[in-house]
Amino acid sequence: MKTALPKEYKVLEQQIGEFLEFWGFKKIHGRIWTHLYLSSVPLDTSELIRRLRISKALMSISLKELLKYDVIREAEKGPYGSVLYAANPEPLSVIFTVLRTRELEMLRRIRASFKAVNDLPKESHDRLCIDLARRASLGELIQSAEGLLEFALERDPAENLAWATSLPSGSVS
């Protein structure tokens, strides 16, 4: 495909990039994903570089990160042996993979750090003017967040999708 991208397409690509950046990815990840998700055919690195006007190095790093979270997949080999990429066709499974490999692990690290602080001698807590009620509240908050995330990840993704789509929202066509 050698045609220039319409302005509207570029705006969408940028906005999805900003959205994914908000959730802890890089803007470029969202831009790449947009092209792969909307494409009717898998795309190779050179086509993505041409469309996005980024360096080969940035593309290489970004593709590795997207593959790590199963956001994209290697689809097939191109005519000259180049790898063709496609977006994972199941966005909900991508969300679950990211929540399981990134956010759940982060909450587990937070819990371990909280335990280490909680186990400090009473004198340390007194010296830092740690409020015991707030310390307990923070522990409960961490435990609740981890438990809620584990509960959601144990459920069938289709159940979570059914719940999420039952929420009121604006109409998108």
Side-chain angles (χ1 to χ4, degrees):
M1 177 194 291
K2 299 293 182 198
T3 60
L5 297 173
K7 179 182 118 184
E8 295 82 1
Y9 194 94
K10 290 179 181 180
V11 169
L12 176 64
E13 161 202 314
Q14 286 293 325
Q15 289 175 343
I16 291 174
E18 290 168 6
F19 179 77
L20 287 186
E21 186 177 41
F22 178 79
W23 289 103
F25 284 91
K26 296 179 179 122
K27 186 183 293 188
I28 189 63
H29 293 145
R31 294 178 62 212
I32 292 168
W33 179 86
T34 301
H35 285 272
L36 293 175
Y37 192 79
L38 293 177
S39 181
S40 61
V41 296
L43 303 174
D44 68 6
T45 304
S46 62
E47 177 62 16
L48 289 166
I49 289 170
R50 187 193 68 73
R51 288 180 177 204
L52 296 162
R53 299 176 183 226
I54 62 171
S55 71
K56 188 174 182 179
L58 178 57
M59 180 61 69
S60 177
I61 291 167
S62 299
L63 291 173
K64 284 179 187 171
E65 291 169 342
L66 290 168
L67 287 165
K68 173 184 174 183
Y69 290 107
D70 199 30
V71 175
I72 65 168
R73 296 176 174 168
E74 291 184 7
E76 55 193 73
K77 294 284 185 190
Y80 302 104
S82 62
V83 176
L84 299 175
Y85 298 95
N88 182 334
E90 300 173 23
L92 194 59
S93 79
V94 171
I95 292 168
F96 273 54
T97 298
V98 171
L99 289 173
R100 189 174 290 108
T101 58
R102 196 177 68 185
E103 276 72 5
L104 188 58
E105 287 305 312
M106 185 183 300
L107 281 170
R108 289 179 176 156
R109 288 192 307 272
I110 290 169
R111 180 175 30 91
S113 294
F114 174 78
K115 182 180 179 338
V117 167
N118 201 40
D119 291 347
L120 288 172
K122 182 182 180 324
E123 300 81 42
S124 294
H125 292 275
D126 291 343
R127 185 170 33 86
L128 294 170
C129 300
I130 301 292
D131 183 300
L132 297 179
R134 287 188 182 175
R135 184 183 72 191
S137 176
L138 179 58
E140 291 169 6
L141 177 65
I142 293 166
Q143 184 177 356
S144 295
E146 189 177 5
L148 182 62
L149 186 53
E150 286 173 341
F151 174 75
L153 292 172
E154 288 170 2
R155 296 178 61 169
D156 178 4
E159 286 180 52
N160 286 321
L161 181 60
W163 173 80
T165 56
S166 71
L167 297 174
S169 66
S171 174
V172 176
S173 54

